[in-house]
Amino acid sequence: MTTPSATVQIDPTRIISPVDRRLYSGFIEHLGRCIYGGLVPDESTPKELITSSGFRKDVLEVIRDELHVPVMRWPGGNYASSYRWKDGIGPRNLRPTRPELAWGGIESNHFGTDEFIRWCREANTEPYICLNMGTGTLEDALDWLEYCNGTRRTYWADQRRTNNGGRDEPYNVKYWALGNEMYGPWQIGQLSAAEYTAKAQQWAHALKIMDPSIVLISCGQCGYNVWDATILRGLVKQVDLHSIHGYTSFGDRDRTEDAEYERGVFGPEAAEKGIEITRSLIELARIEIGATESRPVKIAFDEWGAWDETIGTPENGLEQHYTLRDALGVASWLNVFVRNADIVKMANYAQAVNVIAPIITSPTGLFKQPIFHPLRLFAQFMGGALGQGSSSLQLHVQSPCYEGVTLPPWIGTVRREGGCKWIDASAVLSGSSGSPERSIRVALVNRHKTESFAVYLNFLGPKAPTEIDIHEMYHQDPVAKNSFEEPENVKVEKRSEAWNDGRIVLKKHSFVLVCIPYTL
């Protein structure tokens, strides 16, 4: 039987944009065991797993040293829309315990603003705060900004100094979101698009007076919605980034159909369409308002991931154990962000630990889910920690296509007329001109469940290398998982092999990241 083939045309001179490290950012929320039992240890956690500041050492090290997360979003998520930030500062024994309205829990407030900033400093990540636009007021938001960034001898800045051991330096929180998913009926304080726009305009104006240096992020929806068009038209003068959200494997469908695998791996195509439409909505808003009066707004895809809401539920704290199939979907998500690096400047995987997350903990240890592996490889090689100076490259991929069921259903028609390509790819050119360490990194996902592919990498310009490095994630079972008993059941294996005229065999349902020396 003939192995099907695909071709990836790579021209190192066709640069899309530098890849922003913030594409590999994270998100934590007061939900399930994300904070308490994830970042913060259980009572039974041994002392050797706890930092001097009281955080889980192993979790912090994985997020900092392996995922290299550059920005962390907090406190939500839906949780943000009823969060009282002032409950979470000062002596812990004086902090009130409150009912938590978003997910039905109880909030001790033991992890608040000061703990979040301290954790971010230890994790070498930038803090990103989502403001409460549900039950919160503009005065609350201004007080929070003053607490974090105030430099003068004012009340809330002095409260920070008191709570931070008398240290004078501000927290300098750069990123501030104007609410979370305020369009949703599940949200505390749901607003119409017109109501949100009017409120956000007032908040943005006042917040920028308090601190003109902050980056403001508007609350979008999915990118292909009238909500996004309305918000951008109203806020394009005031915000710096526009947030959109999306999850694969989420939503109503006929689960008796044998298509869950394809729904998972092709779901990120919807996100790419949302990015494409949002790009046009930003341009339309700037044209209508006037390019000189508006801001060159970019996209923050600040909640994304794989989430089957029938598996990760509020009752189990949204703990979902992921499969290789889910990891292939995550790799395709990351390809989407790299391909759109000129407009997407931040993306935050939801969430960091235990809650629909790449890391699962017990009181005494952790294991890494299959979805961890593409997150690590992209962060390290595709413009992240080990890819400084990386630029996204335009590719031309010729591949057979899938024409079956997708989620959402319109992916195979509106998004990809004629079907979705089995081989999904992105590439970056890494390193400065003239550097001996310069290389091209190509991320390839074979989304076919049962067929391996011969993929031909065709280069224009550079000399052919003699040897390449390949990082491969594969398991013969597409629904294979990891666990405490088998933490490396699904893993990445690295090998070097001859260039072979650019021919690489991609196993069925596999992901590879190829590092190719670049010499003119």
Side-chain angles (χ1 to χ4, degrees):
M1 184 176 178
T2 304
T3 301
S5 65
T7 301
V8 180
Q9 302 280 355
I10 305 171
D11 181 351
T13 67
R14 296 181 66 83
I15 291 174
I16 297 171
S17 170
V19 176
D20 199 310
R21 284 191 63 227
R22 296 176 298 175
L23 293 186
Y24 309 119
S25 296
F27 168 40
I28 53 175
E29 183 172 10
H30 293 246
L31 163 60
R33 297 192 308 121
C34 182
I35 303 293
Y36 308 112
L39 302 190
V40 178
D42 295 291
E43 291 182 0
S44 56
T45 299
K47 291 182 179 180
E48 60 267 22
L49 287 183
I50 303 175
T51 69
S52 59
S53 300
F55 304 125
R56 275 288 292 258
K57 182 180 180 182
D58 51 349
V59 173
L60 191 148
E61 288 176 346
V62 169
I63 292 173
R64 181 190 63 205
D65 302 335
E66 296 187 55
L67 294 179
H68 304 283
V69 173
V71 176
M72 189 63 80
R73 178 177 179 246
W74 172 84
N78 297 343
Y79 176 87
S81 291
S82 61
Y83 179 56
R84 309 182 192 188
W85 75 268
K86 293 169 186 174
D87 286 349
I89 60 172
R92 286 188 183 180
N93 64 325
L94 298 180
R95 298 182 191 181
T97 298
R98 303 279 191 190
E100 194 283 296
L101 302 182
W103 302 103
I106 295 176
E107 176 55 57
S108 69
N109 284 301
H110 287 176
F111 186 95
T113 303
D114 302 301
E115 289 79 17
F116 172 59
I117 299 298
R118 194 174 304 124
W119 184 89
C120 285
R121 299 295 185 250
E122 293 190 21
N124 195 28
T125 188
E126 283 277 338
Y128 166 13
I129 289 177
C130 182
L131 293 166
N132 174 1
M133 290 191 75
T135 64
T137 65
L138 175 54
E139 184 176 89
D140 290 331
L142 290 168
D143 290 347
W144 204 357
L145 179 57
E146 179 194 339
Y147 183 86
C148 290
N149 293 3
T151 58
R152 296 177 291 179
R153 303 303 305 196
T154 58
Y155 179 81
W156 287 110
D158 282 343
Q159 288 295 303
R160 181 199 68 241
R161 293 181 179 100
T162 298
N163 295 332
N164 194 31
R167 286 180 283 274
D168 185 59
E169 64 273 12
Y171 289 151
N172 291 324
V173 177
K174 182 177 181 180
Y175 303 103
W176 296 81
L178 296 167
N180 172 77
E181 296 181 0
M182 298 309 300
Y183 51 83
W186 56 87
Q187 207 66 225
I188 304 297
Q190 178 190 11
L191 299 169
S192 70
E195 290 169 335
Y196 173 81
T197 300
K199 187 173 182 179
Q201 286 172 337
Q202 295 175 352
W203 283 42
H205 173 71
L207 290 163
K208 284 283 190 177
I209 290 175
M210 176 70 75
D211 185 348
S213 70
I214 61 174
V215 172
L216 283 180
I217 300 157
S218 54
C219 170
Q221 189 167 353
C222 55
Y224 45 88
N225 192 282
V226 173
W227 172 280
D228 294 282
T230 304
I231 271 62
L232 282 165
R233 189 177 293 114
L235 291 174
V236 75
K237 285 184 177 181
Q238 294 173 286
V239 300
D240 306 282
L241 296 168
H242 180 69
S243 162
I244 56 178
H245 292 177
Y247 293 92
T248 47
S249 300
F250 187 99
D252 295 333
R253 68 269 201 183
D254 181 358
R255 291 175 182 264
T256 63
E257 295 178 305
D258 185 22
E260 285 301 286
Y261 172 87
E262 287 78 13
R263 287 179 174 127
V265 297
F266 290 108
E269 298 277 349
E272 192 152 26
K273 190 63 178 178
I275 292 167
E276 178 186 323
I277 293 173
T278 302
R279 181 197 301 270
S280 296
L281 292 176
I282 291 169
E283 292 171 350
L284 178 60
R286 296 193 69 200
I287 289 168
E288 290 181 345
I289 300 299
T292 58
E293 297 181 22
S294 61
R295 292 172 177 264
V297 175
K298 303 297 183 182
I299 294 172
F301 216 121
D302 61 8
E303 269 193 46
W304 70 273
W307 176 20
D308 185 330
E309 74 279 17
T310 68
I311 299 174
T313 67
E315 290 73 25
N316 66 19
L318 271 64
E319 292 200 22
Q320 180 171 341
H321 286 203
Y322 288 104
T323 67
L324 173 59
R325 179 209 70 174
D326 298 315
L328 298 179
V330 166
S332 283
W333 269 102
L334 293 163
N335 277 343
V336 167
F337 298 143
V338 172
R339 287 195 295 263
N340 293 275
D342 59 325
I343 189 69
V344 181
K345 296 301 179 182
M346 185 190 296
N348 303 69
Y349 188 84
Q351 294 186 19
V353 55
N354 289 329
V355 175
I356 51 173
I359 304 166
I360 296 289
T361 69
S362 73
T364 58
L366 62 78
F367 74 88
K368 301 160 189 174
Q369 302 222 65
I371 61 171
F372 175 89
H373 298 306
L375 291 167
R376 177 185 66 83
L377 288 172
F378 271 81
Q380 291 187 358
F381 293 105
M382 300 292 284
L386 303 182
Q388 291 302 303
S390 294
S391 294
S392 177
L393 299 177
Q394 289 184 2
L395 302 179
H396 179 65
V397 180
Q398 294 176 298
S399 165
C401 292
Y402 167 73
E403 299 182 18
V405 175
T406 58
L407 184 70
W410 53 259
I411 287 175
T413 53
V414 176
R415 165 65 186 148
R416 295 283 192 192
E417 187 174 354
C420 304
K421 294 174 182 177
W422 287 112
I423 302 301
D424 185 57
S426 70
V428 300
L429 175 62
S430 183
S432 56
S433 179
S435 169
E437 302 299 323
R438 210 172 193 202
S439 65
I440 293 171
R441 288 91 180 265
V442 186
L444 298 164
V445 185
N446 180 2
R447 301 190 282 196
H448 204 294
K449 189 175 183 179
T450 60
E451 295 278 0
S452 297
F453 271 74
V455 177
Y456 295 86
L457 304 179
N458 291 344
F459 283 92
L460 298 176
K463 295 178 182 178
T466 57
E467 191 175 74
I468 58 176
D469 290 334
I470 295 177
H471 305 259
E472 180 183 63
M473 180 180 67
Y474 172 73
H475 192 285
Q476 62 182 355
D477 183 359
V479 294
K481 301 177 181 180
N482 291 344
S483 64
F484 283 107
E485 294 72 29
E486 294 184 281
E488 301 215 344
N489 187 38
V490 180
K491 60 184 178 181
V492 172
E493 294 186 343
K494 180 184 176 182
R495 68 180 185 270
S496 298
E497 63 181 49
W499 172 239
N500 194 24
D501 292 327
R503 184 180 186 274
I504 298 172
V505 176
L506 259 64
K507 296 172 184 172
K508 60 185 179 181
H509 55 258
S510 68
F511 163 61
V512 302
L513 194 147
V514 187
C515 297
I516 307 162
Y518 175 72
T519 306
L520 289 173

